[in-house]
Amino acid sequence: MSVQERKERERAGRERLIVATARELAEQQGWDAVTTRRLAERIEYSQPVLYSHFRGKREIIGAVALVGAAEMAASLRAAARAADGPRARAGALARAYLDFAERNPAVYDAMFQLDGGLAFAHDDTPEPLKDAFAALLENLEEVAGNGVHPGLFTEVFWAALHGLATLTRAGRLPPEEAERRIELLVDRLAEV
């Protein structure tokens, strides 16, 4: 291995450490607790080293969001593979999405609530975000219904899931009705 390859590997390792530490701190104490000073202390590097990877908290939030999007895509695809039939896949996707949001609230916030400097629904949308949407789209095309564009259907399905995740987390929806909400969403939106 060349010196350059070793340096690149070390740099990538530091970057993963910064992102993982920011995520851990945010999950434990919220995003307000994530500061460059606290991150530098936790990872035992100076703040200039941290700034050599990220210009600030906004870019760190964006990096956490991209990691989260990749994890969400994998979770959605695994849930879909385990389900039998289009309608069951739609329900499995909904459960996997809501479970991800519940288990990873700070990551979910980084993905959809906070400004991480990431573009959505544009040509320059980062690949992990496109892939998370694709994980929904590829499994919902069959249930979109006649004359309904699969992408548009997926956007509405996603928006409904986001609303459920956000309202549930805020304590605005009674948790005992969670499964019935998923069934209603699938029954009303999915045509099979």
Side-chain angles (χ1 to χ4, degrees):
M1 173 183 322
S2 73
V3 172
Q4 181 63 27
E5 289 172 329
R6 182 182 53 77
K7 285 183 179 184
E8 287 174 11
R9 190 179 73 208
E10 289 172 356
R11 180 173 176 75
R14 277 192 309 272
E15 197 165 295
R16 283 191 303 275
L17 177 62
I18 293 166
V19 171
T21 303
R23 177 181 182 165
E24 179 183 314
L25 187 57
E27 292 292 2
Q28 291 171 353
Q29 299 176 31
W31 278 104
D32 287 342
V34 179
T35 65
T36 53
R37 183 186 57 77
R38 289 185 81 189
L39 284 174
E41 288 172 2
R42 282 205 175 196
I43 64 173
E44 299 179 347
Y45 283 105
S46 67
Q47 281 184 298
V49 169
L50 194 139
Y51 281 116
S52 74
H53 291 274
F54 300 99
R55 286 182 285 194
K57 184 174 177 176
R58 181 178 187 223
E59 284 188 5
I60 293 168
I61 290 169
V64 170
L66 293 177
V67 169
E71 290 175 4
M72 178 182 270
S75 176
L76 293 171
R77 286 189 175 103
R81 277 192 305 274
D84 187 29
R87 188 176 215 78
R89 275 193 294 282
L93 287 171
R95 286 179 200 89
Y97 184 99
L98 295 171
D99 182 57
F100 181 89
E102 182 181 344
R103 284 184 296 108
N104 305 283
V107 173
Y108 192 82
D109 285 349
M111 293 168 66
F112 302 118
Q113 303 288 100
L114 302 174
D115 179 10
L118 304 173
F120 283 80
H122 290 92
D123 291 338
D124 61 343
T125 298
E127 209 47 53
L129 298 178
K130 289 179 182 178
D131 191 49
F133 184 78
L136 288 170
L137 176 64
E138 65 201 26
N139 289 293
L140 292 172
E141 286 180 289
E142 296 175 276
V143 297
N146 292 332
V148 178
H149 187 277
L152 184 60
F153 176 82
T154 302
E155 290 171 352
V156 171
F157 195 84
W158 172 31
L161 292 175
H162 177 69
L164 289 173
T166 302
L167 291 170
T168 299
R169 184 165 151 207
R172 305 289 197 268
L173 300 175
E176 62 273 6
E177 298 292 337
E179 186 59 31
R180 289 188 60 206
R181 283 185 202 95
I182 292 170
E183 290 170 8
L184 182 61
L185 174 66
V186 172
D187 285 347
R188 294 294 188 255
L189 289 181
E191 287 187 20
V192 178

